[in-house]
Amino acid sequence: GAAEVGLGHTTSVVTEYPHPARPDNLVFVDFPGVLLKKGTGETRDFDIQQYIANFGEKMDQCHVFLVFSSGRIQDNALQIGMKARDMGKRVLFVRSQFDID
């Protein structure tokens, strides 16, 4: 299987996707996104403590985090990456559409 794609939030629960060739030891985990409400520009729509309360246990089971963003990396994604790093995890930010802005 593959994750659903779209222009808005497509993941509402943590979902695991085992690698087809290595399902026993390589699993990709899709966490819910942290987009802001379009046009608000407010960071308080996102509560990192609540995010960690909801998903921290699963985050702790992961070894490496790939944080994907279309366009500039926003504060919310950065907060998640910093929390993962504080947990001793490796964090890589992947940005698409870098030629647009």
Side-chain angles (χ1 to χ4, degrees), residues 6-35:
L7 296 176
H9 290 285
T10 54
T11 302
S12 58
V13 297
V14 176
T15 308
E16 295 186 0
Y17 299 95
H19 190 282
R22 300 175 62 183
D24 294 333
N25 58 9
L26 181 57
V27 178
F28 297 97
V29 180
D30 188 8
F31 287 90
V34 294
L35 295 172

Side-chain angles (χ1 to χ4, degrees), residues 48-94:
I48 186 64
Q49 297 305 326
Q50 186 61 49
Y51 194 87
I52 296 302
N54 292 342
F55 309 115
E57 186 176 331
K58 190 62 172 178
M59 288 175 70
D60 199 41
Q61 296 174 11
C62 299
H63 299 283
V64 177
F65 284 81
L66 301 173
V67 181
F68 291 88
S69 179
S70 61
R72 293 186 176 142
I73 305 293
Q74 298 297 316
D75 185 60
N76 296 346
L78 189 59
Q79 286 184 58
I80 290 174
M82 290 170 51
K83 281 292 184 184
R85 186 188 64 190
D86 291 346
M87 297 170 127
K89 312 301 180 176
R90 291 181 186 228
V91 179
L92 301 163
F93 289 93
V94 181

